Amino acid sequence: MKRTSTARTTRRLLARGWRSARLALAGALALGLAGNAPAQDSAAPSNPAAFQSFDRIIAGGTVYDGSGAGGQVMDVGIRGDRITALGDLSTAPTKDVIDASGLAVVPGFIDIHSHAVNADRETSGLFNHPQAENYLRQGVTTAIGGPDGRSWYPVAALLEAVGETPIGINFGTFVGHNTVRAEVMGRERRAPTADELDAMANLVDTAMREGAWGLSAGLKYIPGAYAETGEVIALARAAAAHDGIYIVHLRDEGRGLLDSVRETLTIGEAAGIPVQVTHHKAMGVSMWGRSVDSLALLDEANARGIDASSDQYPYTASSTGLSVLFPAWSLAGDRAERLERMADPAQRPRIRAGIVESLRIDRAGDDLTRVALANCRWDPTLNGLNLEQVLQRFNEPVTLEAAAERVLWLEAQGGCSAVYHTMSAEDVDRIMRHPRTMIASDGGIYQPGADVPHPRNYGSFARVLGVYVRERGVLDFPTAIHKMSRMPADRMGMSDRGRLAVGAYADVAVLDPDRVIDRATFENPHQMSEGVVHVLVNGQVALRDGALTETRAGRVLKLTDRN
């Protein structure tokens, strides 16, 4: 990957002393390739016209185009927001040179499962931290929100709000099944009437026309958990009519993993829509190793013509609210109804028994240290404590029954998010190696605060390159780049992002393969990743020499605008 010392010296001269000479020549030379040409399918060096000029050249790096092919030392020429040439551009005039000698030049990463925007604008990272530094420092240039069945509605309002906020990365969204169901039916635990199902399908159709990239579902969460498979098929058909995809948080990632994957494949086949199992995992000690079976189901489905894939974050712990421990029936209705149910002497023991079962089998086993509180907004002193420590703080016995009772109390106070250490490293490796698995963070946009969130928010993409490629060899470098760039782009039908090719948008990360690494830990998660040196978003420099610029060149991405 390293260039010769002569080449490095040449590039330094280009970046320093030759810049003014190039600028002087620029006005006298004719323009070369058109900036809006469709993206070519490869990073094979183009042979640009001798007199083409550029706004910016990324010079002398080893270019990995996102296809999974090996790298080639070449220059990347950019005009406006597009890549217009690849090859030897050492004599071409340009306004700016970014020296990438000895570094890898890769497509900006695409996070296909992002919580960059929450349903509550006040807690949405993209509005509060629009630069999206924790993403940029991982090389991420595009985030797709609205996962797990939860999105803004109407989608048009979200995209308008994002568009009015200069943002540091590109952003698109799914429309959420849970959100649509709540719009029509609230949190009721029943099947929809025919009119209600039509109303939900119409909401999905409208969202797709407004630019949503597909339908997301969270069948573990309320109210999506109350939906039968047929309901989801009907709504997935509405998304399929616009060439969207269906991405799902499975109904059960633990004991019911395999049946839940089968349900997803049934939905895809019946609706005629590509399906994606998001944050693919095998939850709970009793399920460790069963990724062999869940991946086999995907392979069998693809063999018979169902377009099925998955994504994954590179950790053995998940994160969601404590309410995931509750039996679904107990969460119906509004907050007042739920609190009344939790206080009812006849129903509380049933709820507690359900929490005990969830902790014992899926979330903790016999070790309550597996569950750590991430954010209790109403009492930040609890943040970072595991359930064993919480029980000790309240001088209670360290038992599953006591933990369940304390979880009921925590939920009544306002609830908490938590981190669950429930997966095996072998399953993570196996899922990551699978050719139909891409990388996604399931994280959001964060700045250091009082909470103790999952480190995936700061480290997912850098961790793949630093730990799973360089340190452990689970993937090779070109394959990892593919899984983080072109593969999710192709899944979304984005033919002009996620790749380094003439005509593609100039979303580019320049990183040091020998140094890129995540720094966020479960104990100290608010730490930025390292080793990403430069990042360009739509041709503009967002990170240069490891320092943020003031440029926010991100755009709203709509399915309706794709090629």
Side-chain angles (χ1 to χ4, degrees), residues 62-123:
T62 302
V63 173
Y64 296 84
D65 66 4
S67 69
Q72 301 179 62
V73 176
M74 66 177 80
D75 305 325
V76 180
I78 297 166
R79 278 186 57 83
D81 58 5
R82 303 268 185 162
I83 296 169
T84 57
L86 295 160
D88 182 1
L89 307 178
S90 58
T91 62
T94 183
K95 300 173 184 177
D96 182 30
V97 175
I98 294 176
D99 185 2
S101 299
L103 302 175
V105 182
V106 303
F109 303 140
I110 296 174
D111 191 349
I112 199 171
H113 183 133
S114 168
H115 294 273
V117 172
N118 298 328
D120 176 9
R121 178 165 181 161
E122 292 184 1
T123 63

Side-chain angles (χ1 to χ4, degrees), residues 496-536:
D496 48 14
R497 296 191 189 271
R499 65 205 74 211
L500 299 183
V502 171
Y505 284 98
D507 294 339
V508 186
V510 181
L511 56 89
D512 186 344
D514 297 327
R515 197 170 64 86
V516 63
I517 193 66
D518 61 310
R519 293 300 182 195
T521 65
F522 288 102
E523 297 74 23
N524 186 10
H526 292 290
Q527 299 187 80
M528 300 291 179
S529 293
E530 297 178 356
V532 175
V533 183
H534 314 290
V535 176
L536 281 71

Side-chain angles (χ1 to χ4, degrees), residues 282-289 360-366 370 421-423:
M283 181 85 73
V285 174
S286 66
M287 291 299 294
W288 287 4
R360 180 175 59 85
I361 298 177
D362 290 337
R363 299 284 173 169
D366 293 325
R370 291 182 181 273
H421 295 266
T422 55
M423 292 109 77

Side-chain angles (χ1 to χ4, degrees), residues 126-127 129-132 161-169 550-555:
L126 193 59
F127 292 117
H129 311 294
Q131 194 75 37
V162 173
E164 292 173 351
T165 304
I167 52 177
I169 59 172
E550 295 182 0
T551 300
R552 284 188 262 166
R555 296 177 182 171

Side-chain angles (χ1 to χ4, degrees), residues 217-550:
L219 300 179
K220 180 66 174 177
Y221 299 120
I222 308 302
Y226 305 141
E228 299 294 334
T229 304
E231 174 185 323
V232 185
I233 290 171
L235 303 189
R237 284 179 177 147
H242 299 273
D243 295 324
I245 72 169
Y246 172 65
I247 185 169
V248 60
H249 177 127
L250 296 174
R251 197 177 291 274
D252 190 342
E253 297 174 321
R255 290 161 290 170
L257 170 65
L258 302 183
D259 284 342
S260 296
V261 172
R262 293 186 186 101
E263 178 186 37
T264 299
L265 299 173
T266 296
I267 292 167
E269 187 169 30
I273 193 170
V275 297
Q276 176 124 333
V277 174
T278 201
H279 48 53
H280 191 168
K281 64 176 74 73
M283 181 85 73
V285 174
S286 66
M287 291 299 294
W288 287 4
R290 300 306 298 274
S291 62
V292 170
D293 304 301
S294 61
L295 290 169
L297 289 173
L298 295 182
D299 288 338
E300 292 163 6
N302 280 288
R304 67 176 189 267
I306 301 173
D307 186 356
S309 58
S310 64
D311 60 66
Q312 173 202 49
Y313 47 79
Y315 297 89
T316 56
S318 63
S319 183
T320 190
L322 285 176
S323 62
V324 76
L325 299 171
F326 285 60
W329 63 264
S330 70
L331 298 172
D334 60 24
R335 177 169 172 77
E337 291 175 291
R338 298 195 300 276
L339 290 174
E340 182 178 356
R341 195 176 294 121
M342 289 163 59
D344 183 346
Q347 298 188 73
R348 188 179 183 90
R350 292 177 58 206
I351 300 172
R352 184 172 58 242
I355 296 172
V356 167
E357 182 182 28
S358 184
L359 285 170
R360 180 175 59 85
I361 298 177
D362 290 337
R363 299 284 173 169
D366 293 325
D367 185 358
L368 290 173
T369 66
R370 291 182 181 273
V371 181
L373 303 184
N375 191 8
C376 302
R377 291 191 180 91
W378 47 274
D379 185 0
T381 67
L382 294 171
N383 295 346
L385 299 183
N386 61 53
L387 283 183
E388 179 177 296
Q389 293 168 325
V390 171
L391 292 172
Q392 290 169 343
R393 171 178 284 198
F394 289 93
N395 296 314
E396 294 169 345
V398 180
T399 65
L400 291 176
E401 291 73 18
E405 188 64 39
R406 182 52 59 183
V407 166
L408 279 161
W409 179 83
L410 291 167
E411 191 67 17
Q413 302 309 302
C416 306
S417 61
V419 173
Y420 303 87
H421 295 266
T422 55
M423 292 109 77
S424 77
E426 290 78 10
D427 283 319
V428 172
D429 290 357
R430 184 180 298 113
I431 293 169
M432 187 178 292
R433 288 191 184 103
H434 192 271
R436 297 284 288 175
T437 300
M438 60 202 75
I439 304 301
S441 76
D442 193 12
I445 295 173
Y446 275 77
Q447 290 284 355
D451 56 344
V452 189
H454 197 298
R456 67 192 182 192
N457 298 284
Y458 289 90
S460 291
F461 294 84
R463 181 173 178 81
V464 169
L465 297 176
V467 175
Y468 287 83
V469 172
R470 188 175 65 244
E471 295 179 5
R472 298 188 52 230
V474 175
L475 300 175
D476 63 40
F477 189 83
T479 299
I481 297 301
H482 173 63
K483 286 174 174 286
M484 298 191 288
S485 57
R486 179 162 176 172
M487 192 174 179
D490 287 350
R491 196 65 176 135
M492 303 288 288
M494 297 179 182
S495 62
D496 48 14
R497 296 191 189 271
R499 65 205 74 211
L500 299 183
V502 171
Y505 284 98
D507 294 339
V508 186
V510 181
L511 56 89
D512 186 344
D514 297 327
R515 197 170 64 86
V516 63
I517 193 66
D518 61 310
R519 293 300 182 195
T521 65
F522 288 102
E523 297 74 23
N524 186 10
H526 292 290
Q527 299 187 80
M528 300 291 179
S529 293
E530 297 178 356
V532 175
V533 183
H534 314 290
V535 176
L536 281 71
V537 179
N538 295 307
Q540 302 300 307
V541 180
L543 188 75
R544 187 163 195 150
D545 294 321
L548 286 175
T549 71
E550 295 182 0

